[in-house]
Amino acid sequence: AMAEKCRGRVLYFARDGQAAVVREHLARGGQAVFVSDGAIVAAQGERTQRLLTIDQLRSPTMGLPWMWLYNVLAAAGAGIALGLSPGAIRQGIETAPSFVSDALYAMGDRRILVTPARNPSSLAAWCGIIEAAFPDRRRHAVIEVPSDWREQDAAEMGRQLSASYATLTLVGRDASNLTTENLCRIIEHPFLRSERSWDLAIDRIIGEVGTSDFIFVGPSKRAGRDQANLHCNERNMVRLS
């Protein structure tokens, strides 16, 4: 429906090149980017060209979370729409992995992941990835309170975190419609507290957790992510990915 009102071209990206909408689009001579036989492929009509292999994108510690893959597919599609050559697209993705907005740190045997998680769906996705990558570690979460959180979002994220995280710390300055104090009543977690800044929250949790525990740091926006990463670097943590 949107394509009919758009003067530009439509380019689909998908994990599965056999998806009906992709096949129908290609049959009409359209363009798409998708995964096929372990590689990201650009296609137009019946013509296909491999851009790069999936294994080139895998992190040794995190594997290849599907969010990263979608970011790469979208970036490749944008490059094609701009008329870039396959070689230029490949080089851009390989040399500037800005599709990853996540940082994994080591502090001794502890692992600290900083990645945006502002809603229940993104949190659920990351919980699954973390449980698969670090199944035997005791886990803790530090979550920033977004300004647009709804009560139902907070309650659902609380349920998700209660299921697999030993402690939960909320970071916020009560700028949201739901104050941190109110959230502590809405979120049902057996060990819940709050801090007003990332440095205080990260320092506190590091001082309390075990030597091989995992800490999930979930900012809600870029500024929070940058502050959390800056503090991890100031604590001389080793960035793994």
Side-chain angles (χ1 to χ4, degrees), residues 9 46 51 56 67 71 86 88 92 97 151 180 184 225:
R9 292 176 297 162
E46 296 181 357
L51 296 178
Q56 293 173 255
M67 299 89 83
N71 286 345
E151 284 193 23
T180 305
C184 288
R225 184 195 67 190

Side-chain angles (χ1 to χ4, degrees), residues 21-241:
V21 65
V22 174
R23 303 312 306 172
E24 293 169 4
H25 186 63
L26 292 175
R28 296 192 296 269
Q31 293 177 293
V33 180
F34 51 86
V35 177
S36 177
D37 295 327
I40 293 178
V41 174
Q44 181 169 16
E46 296 181 357
R47 300 192 307 273
T48 61
Q49 183 168 15
R50 288 167 65 97
L51 296 178
L52 71 165
T53 63
I54 293 296
D55 285 340
Q56 293 173 255
L57 305 173
R58 294 188 187 278
S59 161
T61 49
M62 300 293 290
L64 182 59
W66 61 264
M67 299 89 83
W68 294 2
L69 179 57
Y70 273 133
N71 286 345
V72 175
L73 289 168
I80 291 170
L82 290 171
L84 300 181
S85 68
I89 294 171
R90 185 184 309 112
Q91 182 179 23
I93 292 174
E94 290 174 346
T95 59
S98 58
F99 57 86
V100 178
S101 59
D102 324 300
L104 181 67
Y105 297 91
M107 190 173 189
D109 196 35
R110 301 184 188 94
R111 294 295 181 267
I112 300 94
L113 175 67
V114 179
T115 183
R118 60 175 292 107
N119 56 56
S121 59
S122 64
L123 179 63
W126 273 114
C127 284
I129 292 166
I130 292 166
E131 288 171 19
F134 304 97
D136 301 322
R137 292 179 184 258
R138 189 168 182 257
R139 295 183 288 270
H140 311 266
V142 184
I143 303 293
E144 183 176 23
V145 179
S147 59
D148 58 351
W149 247 11
R150 301 171 299 174
E151 284 193 23
Q152 54 266 45
D153 292 336
E156 175 58 27
M157 293 176 79
R159 284 190 289 271
Q160 294 175 12
L161 293 165
S162 295
S164 53
Y165 286 79
T167 67
L168 170 59
T169 302
L170 298 179
V171 178
R173 296 182 178 276
D174 290 342
S176 62
N177 294 328
L178 296 170
T179 67
T180 305
E181 181 180 349
N182 289 335
L183 285 171
C184 288
R185 289 195 292 266
I186 295 169
I187 295 178
E188 297 180 1
H189 193 285
F191 196 88
L192 172 65
R193 67 277 186 90
S194 63
E195 289 287 356
R196 293 179 60 83
S197 67
W198 283 112
D199 54 349
L200 292 175
I202 292 172
D203 287 347
R204 180 176 180 179
I205 197 72
I206 287 174
E208 296 176 349
V209 304
T211 56
S212 61
D213 286 4
F214 182 92
I215 303 170
F216 175 73
V217 178
S220 68
K221 49 187 178 293
R222 181 188 296 268
R225 184 195 67 190
D226 292 346
Q227 291 166 13
N229 281 322
L230 176 62
H231 192 64
C232 288
N233 288 318
E234 289 175 344
R235 291 292 304 258
N236 295 317
M237 298 181 191
V238 178
R239 183 162 182 174
L240 303 177
S241 65

